[in-house]
mmCIF file of all heavy atoms in Angstrom:
data_model
loop_
_atom_site.group_PDB
_atom_site.id
_atom_site.type_symbol
_atom_site.label_atom_id
_atom_site.label_comp_id
_atom_site.label_asym_id
_atom_site.label_seq_id
_atom_site.Cartn_x
_atom_site.Cartn_y
_atom_site.Cartn_z
ATOM 1 N N MET C 1 -44.777 -56.915 68.656
ATOM 2 C CA MET C 1 -44.437 -56.453 70.002
ATOM 3 C C MET C 1 -45.716 -56.375 70.844
ATOM 4 O O MET C 1 -46.715 -55.841 70.395
ATOM 5 C CB MET C 1 -43.777 -55.068 69.959
ATOM 6 C CG MET C 1 -42.455 -55.045 69.214
ATOM 7 S SD MET C 1 -41.715 -53.398 69.293
ATOM 8 C CE MET C 1 -40.279 -53.635 68.284
ATOM 9 N N HIS C 50 -49.060 -47.576 67.050
ATOM 10 C CA HIS C 50 -48.959 -46.644 65.933
ATOM 11 C C HIS C 50 -47.511 -46.443 65.504
ATOM 12 O O HIS C 50 -47.185 -46.481 64.308
ATOM 13 C CB HIS C 50 -49.586 -45.310 66.345
ATOM 14 C CG HIS C 50 -49.328 -44.193 65.402
ATOM 15 N ND1 HIS C 50 -49.871 -44.126 64.143
ATOM 16 C CD2 HIS C 50 -48.544 -43.069 65.539
ATOM 17 C CE1 HIS C 50 -49.456 -43.026 63.523
ATOM 18 N NE2 HIS C 50 -48.641 -42.362 64.362
ATOM 19 N N ALA C 57 -42.996 -48.701 58.249
ATOM 20 C CA ALA C 57 -43.253 -47.966 56.996
ATOM 21 C C ALA C 57 -42.033 -47.143 56.594
ATOM 22 O O ALA C 57 -41.672 -47.095 55.407
ATOM 23 C CB ALA C 57 -44.470 -47.053 57.176
ATOM 24 N N ASP C 66 -35.637 -43.337 54.100
ATOM 25 C CA ASP C 66 -34.993 -42.092 54.518
ATOM 26 C C ASP C 66 -34.389 -42.354 55.892
ATOM 27 O O ASP C 66 -35.106 -42.507 56.888
ATOM 28 C CB ASP C 66 -36.049 -40.992 54.567
ATOM 29 C CG ASP C 66 -35.460 -39.649 55.012
ATOM 30 O OD1 ASP C 66 -34.408 -39.629 55.684
ATOM 31 O OD2 ASP C 66 -36.070 -38.615 54.698
ATOM 32 N N ASN C 109 -24.150 -33.492 67.441
ATOM 33 C CA ASN C 109 -25.478 -33.252 66.887
ATOM 34 C C ASN C 109 -26.537 -33.302 67.995
ATOM 35 O O ASN C 109 -26.473 -34.146 68.891
ATOM 36 C CB ASN C 109 -25.765 -34.316 65.825
ATOM 37 C CG ASN C 109 -27.184 -34.231 65.300
ATOM 38 O OD1 ASN C 109 -28.043 -35.006 65.699
ATOM 39 N ND2 ASN C 109 -27.426 -33.297 64.386
ATOM 40 N N ARG C 125 -32.092 -46.677 84.873
ATOM 41 C CA ARG C 125 -33.312 -47.294 85.422
ATOM 42 C C ARG C 125 -33.143 -48.795 85.622
ATOM 43 O O ARG C 125 -33.728 -49.380 86.527
ATOM 44 C CB ARG C 125 -34.507 -47.015 84.505
ATOM 45 C CG ARG C 125 -35.079 -45.614 84.655
ATOM 46 C CD ARG C 125 -36.227 -45.374 83.696
ATOM 47 N NE ARG C 125 -37.333 -46.305 83.888
ATOM 48 C CZ ARG C 125 -38.442 -46.307 83.160
ATOM 49 N NH1 ARG C 125 -38.574 -45.417 82.183
ATOM 50 N NH2 ARG C 125 -39.407 -47.161 83.395
ATOM 51 N N GLU C 138 -20.300 -40.022 76.580
ATOM 52 C CA GLU C 138 -20.260 -39.704 75.148
ATOM 53 C C GLU C 138 -20.973 -38.392 74.869
ATOM 54 O O GLU C 138 -20.536 -37.626 74.006
ATOM 55 C CB GLU C 138 -20.879 -40.838 74.314
ATOM 56 C CG GLU C 138 -20.710 -40.591 72.826
ATOM 57 C CD GLU C 138 -21.262 -41.720 71.950
ATOM 58 O OE1 GLU C 138 -21.539 -42.811 72.476
ATOM 59 O OE2 GLU C 138 -21.400 -41.504 70.728
ATOM 60 N N SER C 142 -18.708 -35.637 73.161
ATOM 61 C CA SER C 142 -19.073 -35.258 71.795
ATOM 62 C C SER C 142 -19.490 -33.788 71.680
ATOM 63 O O SER C 142 -19.588 -33.263 70.568
ATOM 64 C CB SER C 142 -20.216 -36.144 71.274
ATOM 65 O OG SER C 142 -21.402 -35.938 72.045
ATOM 66 N N GLU C 147 -21.277 -24.821 72.305
ATOM 67 C CA GLU C 147 -21.904 -23.936 73.298
ATOM 68 C C GLU C 147 -22.510 -24.763 74.420
ATOM 69 O O GLU C 147 -22.958 -25.896 74.200
ATOM 70 C CB GLU C 147 -22.991 -23.084 72.636
ATOM 71 C CG GLU C 147 -22.465 -22.003 71.721
ATOM 72 C CD GLU C 147 -23.574 -21.093 71.249
ATOM 73 O OE1 GLU C 147 -24.692 -21.190 71.787
ATOM 74 O OE2 GLU C 147 -23.330 -20.307 70.319
ATOM 75 N N MET C 154 -27.392 -31.874 81.940
ATOM 76 C CA MET C 154 -28.151 -33.020 82.480
ATOM 77 C C MET C 154 -27.317 -34.290 82.454
ATOM 78 O O MET C 154 -27.387 -35.113 83.360
ATOM 79 C CB MET C 154 -29.453 -33.177 81.703
ATOM 80 C CG MET C 154 -30.439 -32.046 81.939
ATOM 81 S SD MET C 154 -31.977 -32.207 81.001
ATOM 82 C CE MET C 154 -32.736 -33.580 81.854
ATOM 83 N N THR C 164 -22.043 -41.313 92.448
ATOM 84 C CA THR C 164 -22.533 -41.456 93.825
ATOM 85 C C THR C 164 -22.850 -42.922 94.110
ATOM 86 O O THR C 164 -22.489 -43.457 95.185
ATOM 87 C CB THR C 164 -23.777 -40.587 94.050
ATOM 88 O OG1 THR C 164 -23.447 -39.224 93.819
ATOM 89 C CG2 THR C 164 -24.286 -40.732 95.485
ATOM 90 N N ALA C 179 -22.322 -29.300 86.252
ATOM 91 C CA ALA C 179 -23.712 -29.223 85.766
ATOM 92 C C ALA C 179 -24.386 -27.960 86.269
ATOM 93 O O ALA C 179 -25.067 -27.237 85.523
ATOM 94 C CB ALA C 179 -24.485 -30.454 86.219
ATOM 95 N N VAL C 282 -44.871 -41.732 99.612
ATOM 96 C CA VAL C 282 -45.646 -41.609 100.859
ATOM 97 C C VAL C 282 -44.989 -42.446 101.949
ATOM 98 O O VAL C 282 -44.828 -41.975 103.109
ATOM 99 C CB VAL C 282 -47.106 -42.038 100.647
ATOM 100 C CG1 VAL C 282 -47.853 -42.096 101.988
ATOM 101 C CG2 VAL C 282 -47.804 -41.072 99.693
ATOM 102 N N LYS C 355 -39.333 -65.413 109.193
ATOM 103 C CA LYS C 355 -37.983 -65.980 109.166
ATOM 104 C C LYS C 355 -38.009 -67.464 108.807
ATOM 105 O O LYS C 355 -37.171 -67.952 108.057
ATOM 106 C CB LYS C 355 -37.295 -65.783 110.509
ATOM 107 C CG LYS C 355 -36.953 -64.344 110.860
ATOM 108 C CD LYS C 355 -35.880 -63.804 109.958
ATOM 109 C CE LYS C 355 -35.504 -62.379 110.338
ATOM 110 N NZ LYS C 355 -34.514 -61.796 109.404
ATOM 111 N N HIS C 359 -35.964 -68.557 105.598
ATOM 112 C CA HIS C 359 -34.686 -69.175 105.904
ATOM 113 C C HIS C 359 -34.759 -70.692 106.215
ATOM 114 O O HIS C 359 -33.735 -71.365 106.209
ATOM 115 C CB HIS C 359 -34.022 -68.493 107.104
ATOM 116 C CG HIS C 359 -33.597 -67.088 106.854
ATOM 117 N ND1 HIS C 359 -34.481 -66.017 106.892
ATOM 118 C CD2 HIS C 359 -32.395 -66.554 106.531
ATOM 119 C CE1 HIS C 359 -33.822 -64.900 106.630
ATOM 120 N NE2 HIS C 359 -32.556 -65.185 106.409
ATOM 121 N N GLU C 362 -34.509 -74.234 110.764
ATOM 122 C CA GLU C 362 -33.275 -74.500 111.521
ATOM 123 C C GLU C 362 -32.223 -73.410 111.363
ATOM 124 O O GLU C 362 -31.077 -73.593 111.777
ATOM 125 C CB GLU C 362 -32.680 -75.842 111.075
ATOM 126 C CG GLU C 362 -33.521 -77.054 111.461
ATOM 127 C CD GLU C 362 -33.612 -77.253 112.978
ATOM 128 O OE1 GLU C 362 -32.562 -77.284 113.623
ATOM 129 O OE2 GLU C 362 -34.737 -77.315 113.483
#
Side-chain angles (χ1 to χ4, degrees):
M1 297 183 184
H50 169 69
D66 180 337
N109 174 259
R125 282 179 59 180
E138 186 177 347
S142 64
E147 289 187 11
M154 292 179 71
T164 300
V282 172
K355 292 292 182 184
H359 293 81
E362 292 295 307

